[in-house]
């Protein structure tokens, strides 16, 4: 396994073609806007080195028998699935941000079982391709992104019906050695901190969509790939002279990029699906299921930090004893632990796939994510309620550091007399960061849309709800023949 330092050094070897704020970024690793997201990703390496987290952060590979980082593991039991969720909660607690590496783990587990079943029915060799690729990933402890979401154009039209054929990523040329692909993947979390990307289709495919039923892996800096960074609310605070208090979370963050593939060549042995439209849906459903489970871990860990920040803010203001304050903190905890309960439940009810790795209970994973589209918003609302308006009206750090205004801020922003004003400012800015700033991207809209928007879960809940059996239960009880 790589150490945190080895991981960061290895990223310097990538030649990413990244643009942000209208310019090419020459040094991605040290870029002040991107760096906090790298720091979050790097914690997945740092914690794996720490003996106290060995059980959660590492596992024994079914491919090589060696110890691997759990983020590269193919789950071998329900215990593995549960540990995955616990690991994600831990990382959320340590970073208060999206640490990004789960996407590749979830993609790998989905592609592993789907390629096995595709080969069995179609006589293809995708499983061998994937096992070879993933063994290399485990041996090198690489970071891997998973790219699913196409930009999708007109939602009323199928991939092959779009006015512009590139709105879903597709094969544009086939050669004896591989394929050329063109298209774009949106909202890609963690791409800049990953060595490889696994690309998957975004929806189930029908006959006629063969060129769009494509899955493969390639290096993140492959020729023909262009990246454009997504901006986040308050992101330029990271580039200001005084950039410690106002950013709220000075060390950690997340990022999303638009990834554009312009005739990227993919050799045959890196292809995991190529025209077998029937299996596109299986890959999508399994990846989405795993990532919906993931949110029952990561968002809960981030929620732990937000609840802790809120409890600290009310203490600093001298309001901790008020009964409504205590009750609101209880409500936040209740909501957060409900999300965790769903993450653990869908894991404990998992079952082996034909390939041997374990899949979560899909109904419970979708219920988990459906709750995640709601509860973090209520937790954030309560955090803002208890934090008070100072969270958004306090002066900047530059004013706090200016001798002409420092003493006034020190005096008038004081709460409980024993608490330094600067500490209070820091905690309030953290709450701002998590509910409206850069980290809110990961905690709120990502809770809504990441791993699929709410309606996508409702479709799956309908499909998995076993309504026929429920109706029969009622008829039996009521004596309806
Ligand atoms: Fe991991 Fe959560 Fe980020 Fe997805 S949103 S990559 S599960 S931390
Ligand atoms: Fe996500």
């Amino acid at each position: 396994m790589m150490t945190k330092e080895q991981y960061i050094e290895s990223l310097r070897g990538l030649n990413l073609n990244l643009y942000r704020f209208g310019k090419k970024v020459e040094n991605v690793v040290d870029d002040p806007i991107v760096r906090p997201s790298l720091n979050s990703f790097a914690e997945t390496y740092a914690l794996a080195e720490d003996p106290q987290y060995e059980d959660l952060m590492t596992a024994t590979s079914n491919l090589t028998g060696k110890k691997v980082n759990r983020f590269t593991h193919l789950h071998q039991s329900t215990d593995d699935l549960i540990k995955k969720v616990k690991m994600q909660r831990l990382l959320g607690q340590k970073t208060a941000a999206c640490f990004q590496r789960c996407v590749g783990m979830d993609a790998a587990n989905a592609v592993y079982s789907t390629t096995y079943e595709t080969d069995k029915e179609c006589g293809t060799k995708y499983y061998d391709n994937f096992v070879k690729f993933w063994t290399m990933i485990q041996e090198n402890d690489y970071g891997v992104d998973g790219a699913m979401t196409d930009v999708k154009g007109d939602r009323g039209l199928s991939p092959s019906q779009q006015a512009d054929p590139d709105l879903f990523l597709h094969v544009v040329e086939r050669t004896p050695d591989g394929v050329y692909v063109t298209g774009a993947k949106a909202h890609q979390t963690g791409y800049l901190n990953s060595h490889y990307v696994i690309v998957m289709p975004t929806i189930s495919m029908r006959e006629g969509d063969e060129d769009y039923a494509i899955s493969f892996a390639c290096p993140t800096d492959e020729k023909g790939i262009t990246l454009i960074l997504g901006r986040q609310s308050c992101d330029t605070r990271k580039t200001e002279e005084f950039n410690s208090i106002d950013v709220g979370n000075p060390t950690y963050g997340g990022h999303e990029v638009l990834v554009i593939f312009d005739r990227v060549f993919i050799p045959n042995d890196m292809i995991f699906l190529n025209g077998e439209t029937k299996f596109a849906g299986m890959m999508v459903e399994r990846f989405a299921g795993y990532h919906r489970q993931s949110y029952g871990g990561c968002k809960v860990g981030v929620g732990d930090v937000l609840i802790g920040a809120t409890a600290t803010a009310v203490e600093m203001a001298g309001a901790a004893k008020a009964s409504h304050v205590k009750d609101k903190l209880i409500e936040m905890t209740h909501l957060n632990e409900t999300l965790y309960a769903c993450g653990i439940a869908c894991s404990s009810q998992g079952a082996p796939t034909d390939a041997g790795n374990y899949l979560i209970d899909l109904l419970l994973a979708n219920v988990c994510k459906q709750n995640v589209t709601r509860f973090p918003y209520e937790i954030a609302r309560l955090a803002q309620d208890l934090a008070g308006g100072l969270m958004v009206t306090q002066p900047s750090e530059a004013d706090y550091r200016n001798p002409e205004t420092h003493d006034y801020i020190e005096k008038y922003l004081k709460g409980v007399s024993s608490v330094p004003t600067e500490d209070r400012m820091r905690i309030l800015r953290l709450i701002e960061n998590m509910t409206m700033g850069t980290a809110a991207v990961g905690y709120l809209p990502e809770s809504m849309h990441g791993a699929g928007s709410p309606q996508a879960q409702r479709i799956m809940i309908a499909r998995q709800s076993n309504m026929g059996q429920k109706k029969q239960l009622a008829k039996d009880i009521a004596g309806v023949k």
Side-chain angles (χ1 to χ4, degrees):
M1 297 189 300
M2 272 198 266
T3 65
K4 175 181 166 181
E5 287 69 31
Q6 288 168 335
Y7 161 68
I8 294 170
E9 273 319 295
S10 73
L11 290 183
R12 294 189 190 282
L14 293 179
N15 185 22
L16 296 172
N17 184 27
L18 172 68
Y19 290 81
R20 78 151 169 86
F21 298 176
K23 292 198 183 76
K24 174 107 195 259
V25 180
E26 298 300 341
N27 178 353
V28 179
V29 169
D30 298 310
D31 183 77
I33 301 269
V34 176
R35 183 59 188 236
S37 75
L38 188 162
N39 293 338
S40 299
F41 205 116
E43 282 302 300
T44 70
Y45 290 88
L47 294 184
E49 289 175 63
D50 188 335
Q52 66 172 310
Y53 301 125
E54 189 185 4
D55 186 48
L56 281 192
M57 294 299 305
T58 66
T60 303
S61 167
N62 64 307
L63 301 177
T64 64
K66 293 184 200 162
K67 182 170 151 180
V68 292
N69 189 303
R70 188 175 294 283
F71 279 98
T72 69
H73 187 48
L74 301 165
H75 319 300
Q76 297 299 302
S77 62
T78 54
D79 194 44
D80 270 348
L81 291 171
I82 291 169
K83 281 180 181 161
K84 172 196 159 186
V85 171
K86 291 185 174 180
M87 168 179 76
Q88 290 167 312
R89 185 171 187 171
L90 173 71
L91 261 304
Q93 291 171 340
K94 298 286 187 191
T95 61
C98 167
F99 38 89
Q100 310 140 52
R101 203 175 174 187
C102 329
V103 195
M105 166 176 58
D106 292 342
N109 275 277
V111 172
Y112 182 71
S113 63
T114 303
T115 51
Y116 185 89
E117 290 176 46
T118 311
D119 286 2
K120 218 164 59 177
E121 191 169 316
C122 306
T124 43
K125 287 273 171 286
Y126 302 137
Y127 176 78
D128 292 347
N129 287 351
F130 183 75
V131 168
K132 190 172 134 237
F133 165 66
W134 201 249
T135 303
M136 182 277 291
I137 294 295
Q138 287 188 342
E139 296 279 274
N140 292 282
D141 200 11
Y142 283 138
V144 180
D145 189 21
M148 175 161 278
T149 310
D150 284 297
V151 292
K152 297 202 280 279
D154 183 337
R155 272 58 172 173
L157 299 175
S158 79
S160 55
Q161 293 169 336
Q162 298 287 329
D164 180 343
D166 299 340
L167 295 176
F168 287 75
L169 186 138
H170 64 129
V171 175
V172 290
E173 189 185 335
R174 293 172 197 278
T175 74
D177 300 328
V179 298
Y180 288 87
V181 296
T182 290
K185 294 288 187 181
H187 338 293
Q188 289 312 302
T189 295
Y191 189 99
L192 305 174
N193 302 321
S194 303
H195 305 87
Y196 282 84
V197 59
I198 296 175
V199 172
M200 298 162 284
T202 200
I203 49 169
S204 308
M205 301 279 169
R206 291 178 222 144
E207 244 177 81
D209 288 335
E210 281 75 12
D211 287 345
Y212 296 85
I214 178 80
S215 174
F216 58 87
C218 69
T220 45
D221 58 356
E222 190 59 82
K223 185 167 165 270
I225 295 178
T226 298
L227 310 165
I228 311 172
L229 189 71
R231 63 170 325 183
Q232 298 175 334
S233 173
C234 309
D235 50 10
T236 47
R237 288 190 193 181
K238 296 179 209 168
T239 62
E240 292 172 3
E241 183 189 357
F242 296 104
N243 62 0
S244 176
I245 297 177
D246 292 354
V247 293
N249 183 345
T251 308
Y252 301 110
H255 74 245
E256 270 78 30
V257 286
L258 179 63
V259 184
I260 296 139
F261 294 77
D262 188 359
R263 287 189 59 81
V264 175
F265 179 70
I266 309 299
N268 285 329
D269 64 350
M270 291 288 263
I271 294 175
F272 313 134
L273 186 76
N274 187 4
E276 297 77 11
T277 49
K278 188 181 157 193
F279 288 92
M282 179 187 287
M283 197 178 277
V284 172
E285 200 169 273
R286 291 185 181 179
F287 170 75
Y290 281 122
H291 213 57
R292 289 168 193 174
Q293 168 209 25
S294 288
Y295 280 33
C298 79
K299 302 303 177 211
V300 181
V302 176
D304 286 327
V305 179
L306 183 56
I307 294 168
T310 308
T312 306
V314 293
E315 263 173 34
M316 288 172 158
K321 291 207 178 74
S323 63
H324 80 95
V325 170
K326 286 189 209 160
D327 192 57
K328 283 166 184 165
L329 289 169
I330 291 167
E331 178 66 9
M332 292 166 84
T333 306
H334 162 70
L335 292 169
N336 205 41
E337 298 299 335
T338 303
L339 300 179
Y340 185 54
C342 290
I344 295 295
C346 70
S347 306
S348 72
Q349 297 301 299
T353 65
D354 289 355
N357 66 332
Y358 271 62
L359 183 65
I360 63 284
D361 181 288
L362 283 173
L363 175 58
L364 294 179
N366 278 278
V367 169
C368 176
K369 174 67 212 319
Q370 181 79 182
N371 284 337
V372 171
T373 65
R374 301 172 183 173
F375 295 176
Y377 284 88
E378 180 61 8
I379 294 171
R381 189 184 72 80
L382 290 166
Q384 292 193 350
D385 173 349
L386 294 181
L390 201 54
M391 166 191 72
V392 288
T393 63
Q394 70 183 19
S396 69
E397 181 178 353
D399 293 308
Y400 186 64
R401 304 289 176 215
N402 179 356
E404 288 175 57
T405 47
H406 173 271
D407 290 355
Y408 286 136
I409 295 173
E410 185 70 37
K411 176 183 166 80
Y412 288 111
L413 263 53
K414 185 133 226 136
V416 170
S417 62
S418 60
V419 176
T421 298
E422 180 176 331
D423 290 353
R424 188 169 181 226
M425 291 172 74
R426 284 184 178 278
I427 282 289
L428 291 173
R429 284 293 183 207
L430 174 60
I431 296 171
E432 182 202 32
N433 171 257
M434 296 179 77
T435 62
M436 331 170 51
T438 53
V441 174
Y443 190 56
L444 297 177
E446 194 182 40
S447 286
M448 181 71 81
H449 296 293
S453 304
Q455 196 57 27
Q457 289 111 57
R458 299 185 82 77
I459 291 166
M460 282 298 293
I461 289 170
R463 219 184 277 162
Q464 306 268 336
S465 65
N466 211 349
M467 199 55 79
Q469 185 226 5
K470 290 181 171 64
K471 286 194 282 192
Q472 193 56 50
L473 291 172
K475 287 176 188 168
D476 289 348
I477 297 275
V480 176
K481 293 278 183 294

